Amino acid sequence: MRYRFAMFTLRLDNNTWLLAAMALAIAPHTPRLPIWISLLCLAVGAMRLIEVRLPARWLLITLAAATAAGIYASYHTLLGRDAGVALLVAMLTLKLLESRTLRDSMVAIFISYFLVITHFLYSQTIPTGLYLLLVVLIITATLIGINHPGRQIEPRKQLRLAAVLLGQAVPVMLVLFLFFPRVPGPLWGMPTDAYEGMTGLSDSMAPGSISKLSQSGAVAFRVAFDGSPPKPEQRYWRGPVLDFFDGRSWSATAAPDPKPADITVTGDPVSYTLTLEPHNKRWLLALDLPAKLPPASRLGPHYELLADQPVRQRLRYRAVSYPNYRAGLYPGATELNRSLRLPALGNLKTREMAGAWKRAAKDDGEIVQRALELFRNEAFFYSLTPPLLGINSVDEFLFDTRRGFCEHYAGSFVFLMRAAGVPARVVTGYQGGETNPFGNYLIVRQSDAHAWAEVWLKDRGWVRVDPTAAVAPRRIESGLAAALPAGEPLPLLARMDNAWLMQLRMSWDTLNNDWNQWVLGYGQERQYDLLSRLGFEMASWKELAVSLTAGVGALLLAFSGFMLWRRVPVGADPASVIYQRFCRKLARAGIVRLPNEGPADFAQRTAMLRPDLALSSTSISELYIALRYAPHPNASDLRQFGKRVRAFQSQLPD
Amino acid sequence: MHPAIDQAVSQAGQIILGKERQIRLAFACLLARGHLLIEDIPGVGKTTLAHVLAQILGLGFQRIQFTSDLLPADVLGVSVYDRESACFKFHPGPIFAQLILADEVNRATPKTQSALLEAMEEHQVTIEGETRPLPEPFFVIATQNPMHQIGTFPLPESQLDRFLMRIDLGYPDARSERALLQGSDRRRMISQLKPCMEGEQLAALQENVRTVHVSAALLDYLQALLEFTRVSPLYDCGLSPRAGLALLHSAQAWALMEGRDYAMPEDLQVVLPGVVGHRLRFAHGETGAESSSPARRLLDAVAIP
C-alpha cells in the first residue's frame, strides 16, 4: 500500500528538464566545437527524448573511446581550453546514454554546472552572464525536480523554488566576491590557446591591414580623463612604431638600444585612467607622449609604452602625458640610419621625385611641406576600399590610383621622406575616440585605428606628421565616418545618423564600462582599496580568508536567526502569519492554542477562560476564518484583520 | 444553521433523546450522498433512528432484516413465471426503496452482503441480465452488531469502505433515559411525524453540498491528515483517496448544515471520527494510549496548518 520505498526511476518529465538544461548549457559552445560533436549531442538528445533502449556497456565504452580519439584528431591534443571543453561536452552527452539511476542524473547535472563555468573562459560580457544565470536557474530547477520523488511538482513551482534558492545564494555570492583573496593576474594559469583570435593592432603594416581593422566596432580601450579631455587633433594614441620597409609592408626592427632618446616636456600634463581590452601583445596605448608610466611597464625605443607581459586580460592603468614635447633632439646614429633605410630596388618614380625635392629644398622642413602639399593639392582620395596595388606599391599609389586609407598615406609619406634623405618612420595606434556623455569617458574602438608618420628634423627632434590630415582633415577632427565620402561602405558602428540608436549604444557602453571597471576589474588593487576603507590595513590573504569565513558564517547565522524568529515558513499565507501573532499574544496571557485546535474552537475556549477578551477574540477569529477558509478573501479584510490584531496586542498587557 | 435541516434535526431529537450529534452526523452523511453504518448493541435505537429519518425526509422506507439464511434474491428481488401472461415477471425486492434499513448486516453471509453493497455503490441492480435503476435519493443505513457477538460475518474492509460514515449510538445519558422511560411510545410518535422536506428539496441540498467552498488552507489540512495516516507507523495502512473524498464531502455537508458556504477545520474534525473510524486500524502491536481511538490519535497528531 505504501509507495515510500518504491525504486526511483527517471521519469519523462525530469528527463525533459535534464535534456533542456544540458542543451542550454552546451548551446553557446557549439560554434566553437567541431561539427561532429554538435551532431553527436543532437543524436544522443533525440535518443533520450524518444526513449530508445540504452546501449550495452561494451558499446558505450567503445563509443567513449572513439569520441576521445575523434577529439584528439580534431585538436591534436586532449588538453587545453578548446579540447578540454570539447571533451567535457562530449562526455557529458555520452553520460546520458548510461543515465539509469538518480545518481547518473546527479552526475550529469553537476557536470552541467561545471560546463557553465567554462563559458567564462571565452566571454565575460553582461549578456553571457545573464544567459548563464538563466542556465543555472534551469539546471537548479532540474535538480529540484529530480530530488522530489513523491510526485512530480509543477514546472512553475520548480522554477520558483530554484529562483528562491539562487536568490538566497546572492548574499553569500557577494561576500565571496568581495572578500575572496585576489592574486595579481589570473587565479589559475589559462591554457595558452585561450588568447587566440584577439583583435588589435599588429606589429606590421601592409596596405589594407588597418582598413580591415577599421571595420571592427570592437572596443580597443576606454579612457577617463581627470580633467577635460584634449582636443580631437591631439588625441594620438601611440602604438607600435614601424621603421623597417621591405618593399611591401612596414614592420618594427628589434632595437638593440632599448633606451629611448631624450625627452623635454612643456605645457600642462594630461592625466587619465585607461582600461585596455586584452590584445595579447605587449604594447600599452598612451597619449603622446607619456611621462609617468604605469607599473610593470617601460618606454620603448620609439616612445611606445610596453608592458612587461603580453596584455591577456583587461588592464586598467593610470598614465600622465604631455601633449607638448620635444623628443630625440640628439638621437643616436644607428637610430637615424635605421630611419633612412629603404629597399634597394623598386618605386623608382617616387625616388626620382623625392630626389628632385631634396635638390630644390633649403632644409628638411620644406621637403615635408612639399609632400603634404602634394597630398593636399593633387587629386588624392580617402577611401576604405582602395584598389589593389602591385609590386611598386608606392609608385602605383602616388601616381596612378591615388585612393587609399591612412596606411597608404603614412607608408608612402615615410617612403618619400626617406628617399629625400629625411629620417622618418611609421607610427601606428589609434586616433580620436568617441566621448560617451553618460559615463563621461572616451571610447576608442578598433575602427579608430590609425597610422601616421614621424620625421626627424634638426633642432626639433621627432615631429609628428599626419599625411591623412592633409587629405581628409575631417578624419582627425570628427572621426572616420565624417571623413569618408558618401557611398563608402561604413562599419556599422561608425554610423552616426540615428540619434536614438546612438544614445542606446552609448548607454550600453556605459553599462559595459561599469561592468568592466567594477565587476571584472575588481582585482587585488580595488579589493585592498575597499578593505582599507573597511578598516583592514594591508590585509593579507590569511586575514581575507578569516573575514571570508566570518562573513559567510555571519550571513548564515543571520539568515537562520531570521527564519527562527519568524517561525513561519517562507511563502506562508499572510493571514496565517498575523493569526500566529494573535495566538502568541494569547499564549503569553496563558491561553495556549493547541496545534490541532481550530480557530472557532479556540475562540470559544478563549471566551470561556477570559470573558473580557471574548468580543475581540471572537471577531478576530471570525475575520481569520473568513480570510483563510471562505471564498474570495479580499485585501481590505486582510488589512482590517491586521489592524484588529495589532489593536488586540496593545490592548492586552504582557 | 440551515432552517429545514434545523427543523428536521430538532424533530428527530424529540424522539431519539440525547443523541443530537449522531442525528446530525446521519443527516450530514445523507446530504453527502453517502451510506451510513451504525454499529452498536441491540436496543439502543438504531432502527428508530432509521425510521425517524425516513419519516422526516418523506422517503420511501424498507427494512431488511439480515439473517444467516437470507439470500441475495431476498434483497434484490426475483423473477417469477406468470402463467397468465406466459412470461417471467420481476418482483422487486425490498432494496427498491429510497431509504433502506439493513438491520444486522453482519449476520448475513458474505454473498448476500455483497449483493447489497454492490447496489449501494452503483445505485442500480442487475438481475438476470437486466439493469434496473434504484430510486433517488438512495440511502442505506446498515446496522451492525459488535464483532464479538455470536453468529456474525464481519464485513471485509473493502465493503466497509463503501459506507461514508460509521457511528455508534451508545447508551443514553441518565436524563435522556429518564425522559425516554417516562415518555410515550416511540413507535406512535414516529407515525405521527410530519415530513419537513420533499424529495426535490433534499436533492437540491445534496447538490448544494458540492458547492460548499473548500479553501486551499483546508485542503492542506486534509492532506496533512491523510499523509499522516500513510507515513505514521501507528496505522495498519493509510487512508485511501476515497476516504479523503469522503472526509471532504462530509465536511462540506456539515458546513452546509451549519449554514455556511465554506468549510473550516472544525467541520473536518467533527466528521472525521465517523468517516475514518471504520477505515483506520492501529497496526499490529500498536494499541495506542488508553481509551484513544485511531481517529482521536490522528486528530491529536496533526496540526492545523
Side-chain angles (χ1 to χ4, degrees):
Chain A
M1 280 303 215
R2 265 181 233 167
Y3 302 100
R4 283 192 294 150
F5 302 109
M7 269 295 283
F8 178 84
T9 49
L10 196 65
R11 268 185 304 264
L12 182 66
D13 311 296
N14 284 335
N15 193 20
T16 319
W17 270 103
L18 184 62
L19 286 178
M22 283 174 53
L24 285 172
I26 293 174
H29 275 315
T30 47
R32 302 186 273 261
L33 292 172
I35 185 80
W36 64 268
I37 293 187
S38 308
L39 291 177
L40 179 77
C41 296
L42 278 179
V44 172
M47 273 173 73
R48 285 301 302 203
L49 213 55
I50 55 173
E51 302 206 1
V52 178
R53 213 165 63 86
L54 297 180
R57 183 152 292 258
W58 65 267
L59 190 61
L60 207 62
I61 292 170
T62 318
L63 205 57
T67 308
I71 288 168
Y72 189 82
S74 294
Y75 293 95
H76 305 295
T77 175
L78 287 177
L79 305 172
R81 180 183 64 165
D82 291 342
V85 166
L87 199 63
L88 196 62
V89 167
M91 290 306 154
L92 172 60
T93 306
L94 289 180
K95 183 75 200 166
L96 278 182
L97 288 183
E98 58 160 14
S99 279
R100 292 188 170 84
T101 62
L102 176 63
R103 188 184 160 279
D104 291 320
S105 304
M106 296 289 280
V107 168
I109 283 172
F110 286 120
I111 300 177
S112 299
Y113 276 124
F114 189 74
L115 199 60
V116 165
I117 302 172
T118 61
H119 291 292
F120 288 119
L121 299 179
Y122 294 92
S123 160
Q124 300 164 5
T125 60
I126 299 174
T128 308
L130 289 177
Y131 175 80
L132 293 178
L133 190 66
L134 175 83
V135 177
V136 168
L137 182 76
I138 303 279
I139 297 177
T140 310
T142 311
L143 192 60
I144 290 167
I146 280 176
N147 283 293
H148 199 274
R151 340 160 226 229
Q152 183 74 28
I153 53 174
E154 266 177 74
R156 253 202 15 228
K157 274 192 186 162
Q158 212 169 327
L159 277 175
R160 200 169 55 203
L161 188 56
V164 167
L165 281 178
L166 289 189
Q168 285 169 338
V170 165
V172 178
M173 180 195 82
L174 284 178
V175 168
L176 286 175
F177 176 78
L178 290 175
F179 297 112
F180 197 87
R182 304 297 157 109
V183 291
L187 197 57
W188 57 85
M190 284 277 276
T192 44
D193 60 353
Y195 305 107
E196 281 170 4
M198 290 175 172
T199 52
L201 294 169
S202 84
D203 44 14
S204 72
M205 181 186 84
S209 62
I210 291 187
S211 49
K212 203 171 118 202
L213 191 61
S214 73
Q215 296 285 356
S216 161
V219 173
F221 54 91
R222 296 180 175 88
V223 199
F225 290 98
D226 288 358
S228 59
K231 291 195 284 293
E233 59 266 28
Q234 283 186 335
R235 292 181 201 154
Y236 279 88
W237 306 94
R238 184 181 287 252
V241 177
L242 315 174
D243 58 358
F244 178 76
F245 187 55
D246 66 355
R248 174 144 194 96
S249 63
W250 290 86
S251 54
T253 47
D257 48 342
K259 254 175 77 105
D262 55 295
I263 304 174
T264 45
V265 292
T266 52
D268 293 328
V270 179
S271 43
Y272 49 90
T273 306
L274 197 146
T275 312
L276 181 63
E277 298 293 316
H279 54 67
N280 202 21
K281 299 277 166 43
R282 282 180 52 202
W283 50 80
L284 307 172
L285 279 298
L287 206 61
D288 267 352
L289 270 179
K292 189 164 170 269
L293 307 185
S297 71
R298 62 185 175 83
L299 211 53
H302 304 130
Y303 314 116
E304 66 271 48
L305 197 53
L306 289 173
D308 296 347
Q309 297 292 326
V311 182
R312 284 177 167 177
Q313 50 178 345
R314 196 170 287 106
L315 190 66
R316 194 167 159 276
Y317 56 88
R318 285 190 59 78
V320 178
S321 294
Y322 286 85
N324 298 316
Y325 61 90
R326 231 158 237 255
L329 279 178
Y330 314 104
T334 43
E335 189 184 352
L336 283 188
N337 277 339
R338 264 208 302 277
S339 305
L340 283 169
R341 249 183 343 204
L342 282 179
L345 298 169
N347 297 314
L348 290 175
K349 280 163 87 177
T350 310
R351 287 175 203 256
E352 204 173 296
M353 183 169 72
W357 287 354
K358 185 181 169 60
R359 283 189 293 278
K362 297 195 300 290
D363 60 5
D364 288 356
E366 205 179 308
I367 299 173
V368 173
Q369 286 312 315
R370 290 223 33 190
L372 291 179
E373 270 162 32
L374 173 79
F375 287 132
R376 198 174 295 134
N377 299 335
E378 301 285 324
F380 279 94
F381 296 100
Y382 188 58
S383 170
L384 262 177
T385 51
L388 292 175
L389 300 174
I391 301 167
N392 292 314
S393 55
V394 182
D395 272 6
E396 283 173 44
F397 173 67
L398 284 178
F399 298 99
D400 300 331
T401 64
R402 296 194 158 183
R403 299 172 65 82
F405 201 59
C406 57
E407 68 260 36
H408 298 83
Y409 291 99
S412 52
F413 177 82
V414 172
F415 189 94
L416 269 172
M417 290 303 108
R418 289 187 176 187
V422 183
R425 60 200 185 196
V426 173
V427 184
T428 59
Y430 298 88
Q431 200 283 322
E434 207 174 353
T435 307
N436 188 331
F438 300 104
N440 199 20
Y441 60 90
L442 202 70
I443 310 167
V444 179
R445 298 177 188 281
Q446 299 298 353
S447 56
D448 293 316
H450 191 52
W452 60 93
E454 236 175 10
V455 293
W456 187 82
L457 300 176
K458 203 163 183 301
D459 301 331
R460 287 179 65 191
W462 287 105
V463 177
R464 179 172 64 223
V465 181
D466 191 348
T468 311
V471 181
R474 299 190 63 189
R475 163 67 184 87
I476 309 306
E477 290 153 18
S478 326
L480 179 61
L484 284 173
E488 280 277 336
L490 267 177
L492 180 70
L493 281 171
R495 285 174 207 272
M496 298 286 195
D497 41 4
N498 200 324
W500 71 264
L501 196 69
M502 177 84 181
Q503 194 171 345
L504 196 71
R505 198 151 63 82
M506 285 300 175
S507 311
W508 176 238
D509 194 85
T510 310
L511 191 66
N512 269 313
N513 186 43
D514 290 345
W515 171 261
N516 290 341
Q517 299 284 334
W518 296 105
V519 179
L520 301 181
Y522 183 81
Q524 197 179 28
E525 192 189 334
R526 293 221 154 168
Q527 191 177 38
Y528 277 174
D529 194 41
L530 176 87
L531 289 173
S532 64
R533 263 188 238 177
L534 291 177
F536 295 87
E537 276 310 321
M538 277 316 285
S540 69
W541 67 267
K542 281 179 195 159
E543 282 170 327
L544 274 180
V546 169
S547 57
L548 186 73
T549 321
V552 174
L555 261 177
L556 294 181
L557 211 64
F559 211 73
S560 47
F562 177 69
M563 302 284 268
L564 213 62
W565 174 72
R566 288 221 311 177
R567 271 192 280 179
V568 284
V570 177
D573 184 357
S576 178
V577 175
I578 299 172
Y579 185 68
Q580 299 293 327
R581 286 213 300 269
F582 167 72
C583 294
R584 282 206 291 277
K585 183 75 192 180
L586 274 178
R588 281 198 289 274
I591 307 171
V592 182
R593 179 179 158 255
L594 303 173
N596 62 347
E597 195 169 19
D601 289 347
F602 183 53
Q604 211 177 347
R605 194 159 65 90
T606 308
M608 229 154 66
L609 291 169
R610 289 284 295 268
D612 55 317
L613 298 177
L615 211 62
S616 49
S617 69
T618 308
S619 78
I620 283 172
S621 297
E622 273 168 8
L623 268 173
Y624 172 64
I625 290 164
L627 280 167
R628 195 136 165 84
Y629 299 108
H632 320 301
N634 58 47
S636 71
D637 281 355
L638 185 63
R639 276 196 298 278
Q640 172 82 5
F641 178 51
K643 225 183 280 174
R644 289 265 180 95
V645 170
R646 273 194 298 279
F648 181 83
Q649 280 177 307
S650 52
Q651 171 202 341
L652 190 68
D654 267 319
Chain B
M1 198 178 209
H2 198 279
I5 302 169
D6 200 19
Q7 197 195 346
V9 170
S10 70
Q11 283 206 21
Q14 285 165 13
I15 295 169
I16 305 155
L17 299 164
K19 295 288 167 207
E20 201 191 339
R21 195 180 67 85
Q22 283 87 341
I23 294 167
R24 292 179 60 173
L25 277 174
F27 270 103
C29 185
L30 179 59
L31 289 178
R33 295 181 212 249
H35 304 291
L36 182 67
L37 181 66
I38 307 177
E39 185 179 273
D40 222 322
I41 52 166
V44 290
K46 297 181 296 234
T47 317
T48 317
L49 176 64
H51 265 295
V52 168
L53 280 179
Q55 195 72 17
I56 285 174
L57 298 172
L59 300 175
F61 177 70
Q62 279 285 3
R63 176 192 167 138
I64 312 169
Q65 177 64 51
F66 278 55
T67 54
S68 55
D69 55 355
L70 191 76
L71 295 175
D74 299 332
V75 175
L76 305 178
V78 67
S79 291
V80 177
Y81 187 73
D82 185 32
R83 215 175 274 265
E84 281 170 34
S85 58
C87 63
F88 281 95
K89 193 166 174 232
F90 180 67
H91 291 263
I95 198 157
F96 287 87
Q98 287 172 311
L99 198 156
I100 314 287
L101 173 64
D103 222 350
E104 299 185 84
V105 73
N106 59 341
R107 281 183 62 192
T109 53
K111 193 176 179 180
T112 313
Q113 286 174 356
S114 62
L116 170 77
L117 294 157
E118 308 278 349
M120 279 163 54
E121 185 66 19
E122 277 143 40
H123 282 221
Q124 63 185 25
V125 174
T126 303
I127 304 153
E128 287 151 22
E130 201 177 330
T131 302
R132 295 165 206 274
L134 292 168
E136 282 295 332
F138 179 68
F139 183 44
V140 174
I141 300 177
T143 71
Q144 184 169 236
N145 291 328
M147 296 300 175
H148 53 78
Q149 293 213 337
I150 297 163
T152 55
F153 297 91
L155 290 174
E157 273 153 14
S158 62
Q159 308 277 36
L160 280 174
D161 205 31
R162 306 267 163 94
F163 290 98
L164 186 74
M165 286 188 202
R166 188 196 67 179
I167 57 175
D168 36 26
L169 286 172
Y171 299 116
D173 56 51
R175 205 157 58 96
S176 304
E177 188 143 31
R178 175 66 68 94
L180 177 75
L181 295 170
Q182 288 176 336
S184 54
D185 182 20
R186 300 287 129 181
R187 258 177 227 293
R188 210 172 57 237
M189 284 173 77
I190 290 171
S191 62
Q192 285 164 358
L193 273 178
K194 290 205 173 60
C196 0
M197 70 178 85
E198 285 156 18
E200 292 96 73
Q201 209 181 343
L202 182 64
L205 280 173
Q206 285 181 332
E207 206 52 53
N208 283 349
V209 165
R210 300 293 158 100
T211 64
V212 166
H213 177 75
V214 178
S215 72
L218 188 66
L219 287 179
D220 285 344
Y221 182 42
L222 174 55
Q223 281 188 295
L225 288 167
L226 295 176
E227 187 67 23
F228 181 78
T229 64
R230 294 167 192 172
V231 172
S232 165
L234 209 56
Y235 301 111
D236 191 21
C237 65
L239 287 173
S240 66
R242 175 153 57 182
L245 281 170
L247 273 171
L248 181 71
H249 295 152
S250 310
Q252 283 177 306
W254 191 268
L256 184 80
M257 286 170 58
E258 293 283 336
R260 271 184 278 111
D261 63 347
Y262 58 90
M264 51 191 277
E266 280 85 345
D267 300 327
L268 212 47
Q269 291 177 340
V270 168
V271 299
L272 185 125
V275 177
V276 306
H278 56 300
R279 304 176 206 251
L280 212 50
R281 269 204 326 248
F282 281 130
H284 187 69
E286 274 289 348
T287 48
E290 285 150 52
S291 75
S292 89
S293 63
R296 192 66 248 161
R297 285 291 291 268
L298 175 58
L299 281 177
D300 287 344
V302 180
I304 299 173

